[in-house]
Amino acid sequence: MNIQFPERFTWGAATAAYQVEGAAFEDGKGKSIWDVFSHVPGNIEDDATGDVACDQYHRYPEDIKLMQELNLQVYRFSVSWPRIYPEGTGVVNSKGLDHYDRLVDALLDAGIDPWITLYHWDLPQALHERGGWPNRDIADWFTDYALTMAERLGDRVKHWMTMNEAWVCSYFGYRDGNMAPGIKDHKQALAASYHFNLAHGRAYNAMKAMNPNLKVGITHATQQHRPLDGKPESLALAEFLWQENNGVFMEPIFSGSYPEAIIDRYPESIPVITDADLIEMNNYDFVGLQYYCDNLIRDGKLVAEKLPEFEYTEMGWPVTPDGFYNNIMEYVRRYKPKELAITENGMALDDEVDAEGRVRDVRRQKYIKAHLESVHRAIQDGAPLTGYFAWSFMDNYEWACGYRPRFGLIHTDYATQTRTIKDSGRMFAEIIRNTGW
Ligand code: GCO
């Protein structure tokens, strides 16, 4: 097999603040909804919290050396909003800003380009108490925060992602309640989803007006639904779920419209949609797609159990690399995007360091190569893909699953904070060095 990516293709790995930083109550940081949610007994496996996580807040110099060993060209990380605005709005915490300033400089000194996610789920608790994402005012709160960051770091950071996976925050955070802030209310979930899009658009316009050199995008947990039979009810469900999980978040950004199927299905819960809002939302320089697996459908229903014909990960997700190709091409077909990047893709296992100090994660190596083959094929077939970021740089706090699933290219020993590059990390470093294999 000879897989060669374009010379200018960008290679990186990603993390998020609450998952790696720790220092949850240091240097003036305010509480986020995850600080509160993770401390409620029973919400998280083993009642794990992100109080310490990988302690990257203090250990970033050591981690940057490891990024160099992995040949990473880009490190995608998120800023913790309550580190910057402990109360969500108002007074800026200069120690928080200084931290990201130092991190960005250290990355640049190491020859690694920083890409920043502004919102990776850690809403200031103070803003939750003022209504959070279901409150339309959040578009302005978020824009003020985005401008503060762009003003401070925009001279050194070109790539910005406003939201990470608004789908997950809206539906798991406000509809199903299994993620922070733990609300179960469909109407609030749809309002939140609308305001994620609005906040993205408003921040996009404001950031570009401040500094036209910035590239401002958004990342999306793309969902691909695979009917295992040809039954009409299976095909219909796949199409409806495309609209509910992708269309609601992507159609306004790409096309300035809102999926009719959702307006028709939920007349009671749908927020007021205006043309002015849609014009504001319809802005992006690039969209980051994040893909892990297909959702399987049979007999007109989502398949909940494990099927013998699929391999499953530590998250209980099937391994479906060909679905990744279909998913990317579906974006190209439906929305004709001008630029896409794969901002997350990866596999959870229960890796251990062996007696020789190695992590022999053969299954992850296969997963990465198989998914990269799909990316490569999509590029050959015209998809405007400019980069691929592994999730994750290192094992970290996997939200409601605590520390059990390990997604990293680097193993984290949480008791000692020892880092060990896994075999997959070494393989990824070689792929980057050769722009393929
Ligand atoms: C996600 C997130 C990550 C997760 C990863 C694995 O975007 O869901 O960006 O925080 O850890 O997807 O579940």
Side-chain angles (χ1 to χ4, degrees), residues 187-326:
K187 200 167 179 169
Q188 285 196 52
L190 284 182
S193 67
Y194 192 75
H195 299 144
F196 274 114
N197 292 338
L198 189 65
H200 159 80
R202 194 160 297 174
Y204 176 96
N205 287 321
M207 290 169 79
K208 299 286 282 193
M210 174 189 270
N211 184 345
N213 294 324
L214 303 183
K215 279 190 85 165
V216 182
I218 186 166
T219 69
H220 177 61
T222 182
Q223 301 294 306
Q224 183 71 15
H225 298 91
R226 180 191 300 207
L228 297 173
D229 55 38
K231 294 186 181 167
E233 57 270 35
S234 298
L235 302 180
L237 181 64
E239 176 56 26
F240 178 75
L241 290 176
W242 178 281
Q243 296 303 351
E244 183 166 50
N245 297 335
N246 300 315
V248 165
F249 302 92
M250 291 287 101
E251 201 178 300
I253 308 284
F254 282 125
S255 317
S257 52
Y258 198 92
E260 291 293 335
I262 304 305
I263 299 174
D264 293 348
R265 178 72 66 96
Y266 303 123
E268 302 299 314
S269 311
I270 211 78
V272 177
I273 299 168
T274 69
D275 287 346
D277 287 350
L278 290 172
I279 288 169
E280 216 173 337
M281 294 171 184
N282 183 202
N283 281 300
Y284 72 99
D285 296 327
F286 66 99
V287 165
L289 298 181
Q290 316 196 148
Y291 176 90
Y292 291 90
C293 65
D294 280 2
N295 301 315
L296 310 175
I297 293 177
R298 195 153 63 189
D299 297 327
K301 288 198 229 35
L302 281 169
V303 177
E305 71 276 14
K306 290 189 181 170
L307 302 177
E309 58 269 40
F310 289 94
E311 175 192 0
Y312 285 84
T313 74
E314 183 67 18
M315 296 297 284
W317 299 342
V319 177
T320 53
D322 48 330
F324 195 12
Y325 170 83
N326 297 335

Side-chain angles (χ1 to χ4, degrees), residues 13-24:
T15 63
Y18 191 68
Q19 297 182 275
V20 297
E21 278 183 356

Side-chain angles (χ1 to χ4, degrees), residues 9-43:
F9 199 68
T10 301
W11 299 92
T15 63
Y18 191 68
Q19 297 182 275
V20 297
E21 278 183 356
F25 309 104
E26 265 182 67
D27 286 347
K29 174 178 165 294
K31 273 192 187 171
S32 78
I33 54 174
W34 271 93
D35 290 313
V36 174
F37 187 78
S38 67
H39 278 260
V40 176
N43 275 351

Side-chain angles (χ1 to χ4, degrees), residues 15-16 19 76 120-121 164-165 168 179 219 221 290 292 315 317 344 391-392 396-399 407:
T15 63
Q19 297 182 275
R76 170 180 173 235
H120 203 128
W121 307 1
N164 180 72
E165 303 194 346
V168 177
M179 291 220 177
T219 69
Q290 316 196 148
Y292 291 90
M315 296 297 284
W317 299 342
E344 284 182 25
W391 184 272
S392 176
N396 57 46
Y397 182 75
E398 181 51 31
W399 308 110
F407 274 95

Side-chain angles (χ1 to χ4, degrees), residues 81-375:
W81 184 348
R83 247 187 233 296
I84 307 301
Y85 284 103
E87 294 301 320
T89 56
V91 181
V92 172
N93 174 32
S94 59
K95 284 189 177 169
L97 269 179
D98 291 347
H99 167 72
Y100 294 108
D101 206 88
R102 286 191 296 267
L103 175 60
V104 162
D105 282 344
L107 286 164
L108 290 171
D109 284 348
I112 297 166
D113 196 21
W115 286 32
I116 289 183
T117 312
L118 286 166
Y119 187 73
H120 203 128
W121 307 1
D122 43 0
L123 182 71
Q125 175 69 11
L127 293 185
H128 172 61
E129 285 160 16
R130 290 161 70 185
W133 288 102
N135 180 347
R136 189 181 164 95
D137 291 345
I138 200 155
D140 287 330
W141 303 334
F142 178 77
T143 300
D144 287 346
Y145 155 61
L147 285 177
T148 299
M149 297 314 302
E151 189 173 23
R152 180 68 178 257
L153 300 176
D155 57 335
R156 285 157 288 160
V157 178
K158 187 174 172 76
H159 289 85
W160 298 78
M161 291 145 287
T162 52
M163 308 299 164
N164 180 72
E165 303 194 346
W167 176 79
V168 177
C169 316
S170 302
Y171 296 159
F172 295 165
Y174 292 93
R175 183 190 66 188
D176 304 341
N178 53 349
M179 291 220 177
I183 288 171
K184 294 184 186 167
D185 178 343
H186 193 222
K187 200 167 179 169
Q188 285 196 52
L190 284 182
S193 67
Y194 192 75
H195 299 144
F196 274 114
N197 292 338
L198 189 65
H200 159 80
R202 194 160 297 174
Y204 176 96
N205 287 321
M207 290 169 79
K208 299 286 282 193
M210 174 189 270
N211 184 345
N213 294 324
L214 303 183
K215 279 190 85 165
V216 182
I218 186 166
T219 69
H220 177 61
T222 182
Q223 301 294 306
Q224 183 71 15
H225 298 91
R226 180 191 300 207
L228 297 173
D229 55 38
K231 294 186 181 167
E233 57 270 35
S234 298
L235 302 180
L237 181 64
E239 176 56 26
F240 178 75
L241 290 176
W242 178 281
Q243 296 303 351
E244 183 166 50
N245 297 335
N246 300 315
V248 165
F249 302 92
M250 291 287 101
E251 201 178 300
I253 308 284
F254 282 125
S255 317
S257 52
Y258 198 92
E260 291 293 335
I262 304 305
I263 299 174
D264 293 348
R265 178 72 66 96
Y266 303 123
E268 302 299 314
S269 311
I270 211 78
V272 177
I273 299 168
T274 69
D275 287 346
D277 287 350
L278 290 172
I279 288 169
E280 216 173 337
M281 294 171 184
N282 183 202
N283 281 300
Y284 72 99
D285 296 327
F286 66 99
V287 165
L289 298 181
Q290 316 196 148
Y291 176 90
Y292 291 90
C293 65
D294 280 2
N295 301 315
L296 310 175
I297 293 177
R298 195 153 63 189
D299 297 327
K301 288 198 229 35
L302 281 169
V303 177
E305 71 276 14
K306 290 189 181 170
L307 302 177
E309 58 269 40
F310 289 94
E311 175 192 0
Y312 285 84
T313 74
E314 183 67 18
M315 296 297 284
W317 299 342
V319 177
T320 53
D322 48 330
F324 195 12
Y325 170 83
N326 297 335
N327 183 253
I328 297 166
M329 297 315 287
E330 200 58 29
Y331 275 84
V332 173
R333 190 177 72 75
R334 288 184 193 244
Y335 307 119
K336 304 189 176 36
K338 57 186 169 210
E339 183 174 337
L340 299 171
I342 303 305
T343 39
E344 284 182 25
N345 173 238
M347 180 189 215
L349 293 169
D350 59 350
D351 309 294
E352 284 174 16
V353 183
D354 71 12
E356 287 154 38
R358 271 182 64 184
V359 181
R360 298 171 201 265
D361 53 343
V362 176
R363 290 177 58 199
R364 182 177 290 105
Q365 294 175 57
K366 283 195 189 138
Y367 179 100
I368 292 173
K369 278 195 167 167
H371 284 74
L372 277 173
E373 280 177 31
S374 276
V375 173

